[in-house]
Amino acid sequence: MKAAMIDRPLEVLTMDLQGQTFALEAAQVREILDLVPVTEVPGSQPFVNGLINVRGKVVPVADLRLKFGMEQTEDTIDTRFVVIEIEIDRVPTIVGIRADKVHEVTELAPSALADVPRVGMRWRPDYIRFIGKRGNDFIVIPDIARILSSGSAEPANENLTLDRTTAGPAVASR
Amino acid sequence: MTPIDATETYRQEAQELLEQLEHALLEIGHRPGDADLIDSAFRALHTIKGSGAMFGFDRVAAFTHHVETAFDMVRKGKVAATAELVALTLAAKDQMRRLIEAPDAASDADGRAILDRLQAAVDSATVGAAPVESGAAAGPVTWRVRFRLPSGAMATGSNPLLLIEELRELGEATVTALTEQVPALEDLDPTECHVGWDVILTTLEPRERIEQVFLFLLDDMELAIDRVETCDDPPRPGEVLVARGDVKSAELDDALSRQAPVGKPLVETGTLSEDKLAGALAEQQHVRAASAAKSGSSIRVPAERLDEMMDRVGELVIAQSRLKQITASSDDPQIQSVVEEIERLARELQDTTMGVRMVPIGSLFGRFRRLVHDLSRDLGKEIELVTTGEDTELDKTVIERLADPLVHLIRNSGDHGLETPDGRAAAGKPASGRISLTARHAGAEVLITIGDDGRGLDRARIQARAEENGLLAPGAKLGDEELFKIIFEPGFSTAREVTNLSGRGVGMDVVKRTIEDLRGTIDVRSTPGRGSEVTLRLPLTLAIIDGLLVRIGRGRYVIPLTAVEECVELTPQDDLRSTGRSFLSIRDELVPFIRLREQFRTGTPPDPYQKVVVVSDGESRVGLVVDQVIGDHQTVIKSLSNLHADAASFSGATILGDGTVALILDVPQLVEDGRARDDRLKAAG
């Protein structure tokens, strides 16, 4: 969707990832959880290698930092999981998004939304829906469905999957 | 609450009735004189018509009215239920379904044509004065058997217990002892049997079969066998007593005038012994149960509500275990007992809720009778469908998703597997081909087998076709198992002609995809000239399982207990010796083992005393090396999202007592992984 097609204010939940402000569409957010124990899933893609319990449901946790080339720092007292419900590859899925800190629900006016610039970006442009502007600050509104879709695996991961079917990870790690 | 849509309710109800009708009609095909079946079909038609008119499905009502009229002739015995008539009524049933589900697409002309043919069939099949013999081999009948052994019977070696056992074997039986003739102790002759029995028996067997039980005693003994009418409205105890001849009508009226319950006053006045009253009450219960089984009382609940319920129960269980942890330090016995009570209730609730989702696979098998009937007609082959293991329970969602693959497999067996009648005669086989459908539990899996006694798979042709389609390199040599798997590849078909049933090369890949989605596997076996067999192995996903909780590194994992054979310690010697190939000798048998700590790359040092959990996938055994065996754990399986579809070592996840998530190991997959890695090591030398 183009930013120009947005005609009403977008309600978003803002959060921090390594000092950069990100925002998730408020309509997708189901709840925000404090830091809970995360179960690691061996053999899964690194950015979704955890599971948490959300009211009796087993929910995968996505760490967007890995998709945006950020450093993975230790959890702090501010770490939260934002539980969202989105369609991934046309399947409604509940996902927990790890956030360093959650701020607030706010409205972004259509005029404050811009499409992703084609140049001068260090992140994959298709991972970002809009760039929002608030004061002098930029807010990244990521395209979660796109990021989590199976078709957008990192090249490194694709290699891994290929290896598994032919020679296996033991060979790949040599 | 969601508002109730009357039209939708009618559709659902009609759906059920149409299934009931279809089932009855197909059974009538086998037992044309069965009055119960004819009644059941008639009732279904009648209800579809009646509620159709009520909910505004006027075309359905009008059409069904004519079918009902025709079928009423059968019910009254004026017309015989010929095969033609049954086939036409089935066609009429399909028309009704179309009128209900897609009224715009259903053509009235088709409907009229069916009705005309039905009328013609009724006219030609009208039997003059000979009514259809009814009730002969009908459904189960309830009998009241009252017997008392002749004097001296015990001395000649008769054992009333054996007689009762034999009666029990005939069907559902409720037994009451009649002790009113037992004399006072001083008059008691210990060599005589003073007790009589009332047995209420619901059985398919005829009356003669019951008499046979008493064959050797028949002459002297007291024996009364009466038929008990079962109906939706169970008889009142008073009526039962009169029917049994225990009480006269007048005595009953007298007792009734003294207010209910009827039994007490009769006993008080000495008209009736307490045993006889107990017998009558037992009979009433039995009849009520038999009627309930007949009408199959059930309610429809949307599956989502069951899912919601399961989630709530899951939360309850977790909350309960937190409560247990918090109160563990308390020494107030009152709190402790309440916590234990809640624990028990939560577990029972969990079991019941899981049980509600489980459905016997028979409900699915039933649908294929019609499919085979139609197949048989369209292909001009006689086909018999044999089903076993209908009681095998599977999660409802799994059963629903199995319907399509099974249709494809059965069609394939009928079309490609079974020979034409001439072909069968030439091969010296009975004219009627057989398709068998079997379900059974095996470990943590359900196996569903579709077999036929046809010509078997043609190796050479499959190979040739696969090479033609580029699915196989020319001249490649494959084992049976691998070669037969090719028939499930998209676009593969060996059929020379495309029939309307199969041969387009779609279908089998649908089977493969669906089964893989359910995390199942497919095995194919075939013997030329003898037939072939496709086995679907399905895990019991979405179900509750008993699991063994283990620790590997810092993570806790669940191994399905049904797959576990034993746990042994990994001795330091074995641990060190097995650097290249990992084998363990258990009672002189070599068992390969997998170090899960390495497989999962935990990056932790091993525990000093590692354990090996020996698991089996049904064929081969493998040891899983874990750091610690924690204990057993009731496991509610939660499926993993698509984001973790690539984590193949796990069949799902569960939530532990402390609220954290634990992964469930996929044993067949791990065994496979272990084998593959072993082969690689061997190849690398």
Side-chain angles (χ1 to χ4, degrees):
Chain A
M1 208 193 299
K2 290 273 169 204
M5 286 163 68
I6 302 278
D7 55 359
R8 65 180 72 164
L10 190 66
E11 214 180 355
V12 295
L13 175 76
T14 55
M15 60 183 221
D16 260 4
L17 284 181
Q18 294 291 294
Q20 170 66 53
T21 310
F22 281 72
L24 302 171
E25 249 185 88
Q28 297 174 337
V29 175
R30 284 170 56 120
E31 61 188 301
I32 301 164
L33 297 181
D34 286 350
L35 196 57
V36 292
V38 180
T39 301
E40 200 184 313
V41 185
S44 61
Q45 300 180 59
F47 79 101
V48 282
N49 80 339
L51 293 173
I52 52 171
N53 164 17
V54 181
R55 297 175 190 277
K57 280 198 171 66
V58 173
V59 171
V61 185
D63 192 343
L64 295 183
R65 293 178 302 186
L66 286 166
K67 282 288 182 180
F68 287 95
M70 294 169 169
E71 202 186 327
Q72 267 184 301
T73 45
E74 288 290 306
D75 291 332
T76 67
I77 195 162
D78 286 328
T79 304
R80 297 285 182 275
F81 296 105
V82 181
V83 181
I84 60 169
E85 189 170 359
I86 49 165
E87 284 207 353
I88 300 172
D89 299 331
R90 287 198 295 281
V91 183
T93 311
I94 298 176
V95 187
I97 304 286
R98 197 196 158 285
D100 287 339
K101 186 174 188 157
V102 169
H103 295 290
E104 58 177 347
V105 175
T106 179
E107 277 187 357
L108 293 175
S111 58
L113 295 173
D115 289 327
V116 185
R118 301 205 171 224
V119 286
M121 284 269 301
R122 55 198 169 98
W123 301 318
R124 272 176 65 162
D126 57 334
Y127 282 174
I128 299 168
R129 281 180 66 199
F130 312 119
I131 302 280
K133 237 184 320 177
R134 199 176 49 176
N136 291 327
D137 207 8
F138 285 100
I139 299 174
V140 177
I141 301 159
D143 190 342
I144 306 281
R146 171 86 204 174
I147 294 170
L148 298 180
S149 145
S150 55
S152 75
E154 297 284 277
N157 287 328
E158 273 159 17
N159 281 341
L160 250 179
T161 340
L162 265 179
D163 276 333
R164 183 173 309 194
T165 49
T166 52
V171 177
S173 62
R174 269 206 301 239
Chain B
M1 289 295 287
T2 37
I4 294 159
D5 180 355
T7 321
E8 191 46 44
T9 310
Y10 173 67
R11 281 214 180 92
Q12 281 188 8
E13 187 193 304
Q15 186 73 29
E16 233 166 52
L17 288 165
L18 286 171
E19 266 169 34
Q20 183 192 335
L21 174 62
E22 179 181 289
H23 181 245
L25 286 170
L26 291 169
E27 284 296 310
I28 291 172
H30 296 298
R31 301 205 301 269
D34 192 323
D36 279 0
L37 289 173
I38 292 171
D39 279 350
S40 153
F42 182 79
R43 273 199 305 274
L45 282 167
H46 186 76
T47 318
I48 293 169
K49 182 185 85 170
S51 19
M54 209 190 305
F55 290 109
F57 286 76
D58 293 333
R59 283 170 72 200
V60 180
F63 179 81
T64 313
H65 172 69
H66 295 294
V67 184
E68 186 194 350
T69 313
F71 212 79
D72 196 28
M73 307 281 277
V74 178
R75 191 172 72 115
K76 290 184 176 144
K78 290 183 183 151
V79 174
T82 57
E84 191 197 0
L85 198 69
V86 169
L88 281 169
T89 317
L90 280 172
K93 188 225 81 185
D94 290 341
Q95 174 74 3
M96 286 178 224
R97 187 182 295 259
R98 279 193 290 275
L99 283 169
I100 293 167
E101 284 169 3
D104 298 335
S107 111
D108 281 331
D110 285 355
R112 263 197 304 281
I114 293 169
L115 289 179
D116 288 347
R117 276 157 59 206
L118 193 62
Q119 186 57 46
V122 167
D123 288 345
S124 67
T126 305
V127 281
V132 178
E133 180 67 31
S134 70
V141 172
T142 304
W143 300 94
R144 179 192 307 126
V145 183
R146 178 177 289 186
F147 71 96
R148 202 172 270 289
L149 296 187
S151 61
M154 298 293 271
T156 56
S158 301
N159 185 344
L161 290 179
L162 295 179
L163 296 173
I164 292 169
E165 258 327 291
E166 205 173 323
L167 284 175
R168 274 185 192 282
E169 279 165 20
L170 296 178
E172 193 69 31
T174 309
V175 184
T176 322
L178 305 173
T179 53
E180 79 268 8
Q181 287 190 17
V182 178
L185 195 56
E186 55 265 36
D187 304 326
L188 188 103
D189 177 355
T191 62
E192 286 293 337
C193 176
H194 300 279
V195 184
W197 281 273
D198 248 355
V199 181
I200 309 301
L201 177 68
T202 304
T203 177
L204 286 160
E205 304 285 343
R207 183 194 171 105
E208 296 80 60
R209 184 70 190 79
I210 302 176
E211 283 172 359
Q212 262 176 30
V213 172
F214 302 102
L215 193 61
F216 299 107
L217 299 160
L218 216 50
D219 293 341
D220 305 315
M221 76 184 297
E222 278 177 50
L223 175 67
I225 304 174
D226 300 304
R227 187 176 167 154
V228 181
E229 290 301 324
T230 52
C231 51
D232 296 336
D233 185 24
R236 314 241 304 262
E239 291 160 14
V240 177
L241 284 167
V242 175
R244 291 156 66 102
D246 291 340
V247 177
K248 291 191 193 70
S249 249
E251 291 167 348
L252 174 65
D253 289 344
D254 179 46
L256 280 176
S257 67
R258 287 193 246 160
Q259 296 280 309
V262 65
K264 241 183 200 153
L266 284 167
V267 174
E268 278 164 10
T269 56
T271 325
L272 180 72
S273 77
E274 272 188 54
D275 286 337
K276 280 191 173 155
L277 176 64
L281 291 174
E283 174 176 331
Q284 191 195 15
Q285 285 265 328
H286 184 99
V287 169
R288 192 178 287 158
S291 317
K294 231 184 201 173
S295 56
S297 81
S298 63
I299 54 163
R300 298 184 143 270
V301 178
E304 308 90 73
R305 274 196 213 166
L306 292 183
D307 289 343
E308 274 172 34
M309 206 163 120
M310 195 60 232
D311 286 346
R312 293 293 162 277
V313 171
E315 285 174 47
L316 173 70
V317 170
I318 292 154
Q320 172 266 320
S321 49
R322 269 173 44 204
L323 177 69
K324 195 179 164 190
Q325 267 178 8
I326 294 166
T327 53
S329 51
S330 151
D331 36 5
D332 182 342
Q334 267 180 312
I335 287 181
Q336 292 294 353
S337 86
V338 172
V339 168
E340 272 168 31
E341 183 81 5
I342 290 174
E343 182 177 6
R344 185 180 59 78
L345 288 171
R347 173 154 296 200
E348 282 172 8
L349 189 62
Q350 191 176 0
D351 286 354
T352 334
T353 317
M354 282 322 292
V356 169
R357 291 193 55 95
M358 302 298 272
V359 181
I361 200 161
S363 60
L364 182 63
F365 284 3
R367 289 192 223 164
F368 298 130
R369 252 174 258 277
R370 174 66 191 278
L371 176 73
V372 170
H373 178 91
D374 288 354
L375 258 182
S376 167
R377 192 192 53 214
D378 293 351
L379 295 168
K381 299 173 182 174
E382 262 183 64
I383 308 176
E384 188 194 351
L385 177 71
V386 185
T387 57
T388 38
E390 284 99 333
D391 299 342
T392 311
E393 287 194 328
L394 257 174
D395 192 277
K396 185 169 165 56
T397 29
V398 177
I399 287 196
E400 273 159 14
R401 294 186 59 185
L402 274 178
D404 274 354
L406 287 179
V407 166
H408 287 301
L409 288 169
I410 291 173
R411 279 190 177 164
N412 213 56
S413 284
D415 201 10
H416 301 314
L418 296 177
E419 307 90 336
T420 54
D422 298 344
R424 290 187 70 86
K429 292 182 186 178
S432 168
R434 229 167 79 126
I435 296 181
S436 63
L437 206 50
T438 316
R440 66 190 172 91
H441 281 284
E445 292 176 320
V446 171
L447 306 189
I448 297 169
T449 309
I450 302 93
D452 64 66
D453 64 346
R455 56 172 82 96
L457 292 171
D458 186 341
R459 266 200 69 111
R461 218 159 89 217
I462 294 172
Q463 175 116 22
R465 253 311 161 96
E467 287 174 10
E468 221 171 280
N469 294 355
L471 294 167
L472 204 60
K477 286 206 166 45
L478 289 182
D480 275 359
E481 207 174 305
E482 282 163 276
L483 186 65
F484 293 155
K485 282 209 168 125
I486 291 180
I487 64 174
F488 294 104
E489 291 300 320
F492 180 85
S493 172
T494 59
R496 288 186 199 100
E497 287 163 46
V498 172
T499 67
N500 67 335
L501 292 170
S502 51
R504 285 179 208 280
V506 288
M508 287 317 225
D509 63 314
V510 171
V511 174
K512 187 179 165 196
R513 223 178 20 243
T514 314
I515 301 304
E516 280 177 356
D517 278 356
L518 294 170
R519 285 180 177 257
T521 56
I522 307 176
D523 294 336
V524 187
R525 275 188 205 151
S526 175
T527 321
R530 298 280 297 278
S532 40
E533 203 178 81
V534 178
T535 302
L536 311 178
R537 288 172 167 269
L538 294 164
L540 287 167
T541 24
L542 308 162
I544 191 164
I545 56 164
D546 275 318
L548 187 69
L549 193 61
V550 299
R551 186 175 57 77
I552 302 158
R554 273 187 293 271
R556 283 179 292 175
Y557 299 85
V558 175
I559 303 173
L561 204 57
T562 40
V564 175
E565 297 208 326
E566 60 187 313
C567 298
V568 295
E569 197 164 296
L570 183 69
T571 57
Q573 294 93 310
D574 276 327
D575 196 15
L576 289 174
R577 201 170 50 210
S578 59
T579 42
R581 302 204 25 185
S582 313
F583 277 106
L584 198 67
S585 169
I586 298 177
R587 287 187 294 279
D588 296 335
E589 239 185 280
L590 283 182
V591 177
F593 64 80
I594 305 170
R595 290 168 204 275
L596 291 178
R597 212 168 29 78
E598 285 169 18
Q599 177 132 347
F600 297 164
R601 302 192 186 146
T602 57
T604 53
D607 269 29
Y609 298 102
Q610 296 177 82
K611 303 286 184 303
V612 184
V613 180
V614 180
V615 294
S616 157
D617 68 343
E619 281 158 22
S620 39
R621 296 201 291 171
V622 70
L624 304 175
V625 181
V626 302
D627 283 326
Q628 186 192 353
V629 174
I630 300 173
D632 61 343
H633 181 256
Q634 279 269 326
T635 309
V636 182
I637 302 180
K638 310 260 178 187
S639 48
L640 294 175
S641 72
N642 287 342
L643 294 176
H644 290 124
D646 52 344
S649 312
F650 309 106
S651 61
T654 189
I655 292 170
L656 298 178
D658 61 1
T660 55
V661 177
L663 288 156
I664 302 167
L665 299 182
D666 185 345
V667 169
Q669 184 64 42
L670 281 170
V671 173
E672 188 62 35
D673 280 1
R675 209 180 284 145
R677 206 182 44 171
D678 215 43
D679 289 349
R680 258 202 325 277
L681 280 172
K682 255 186 277 178

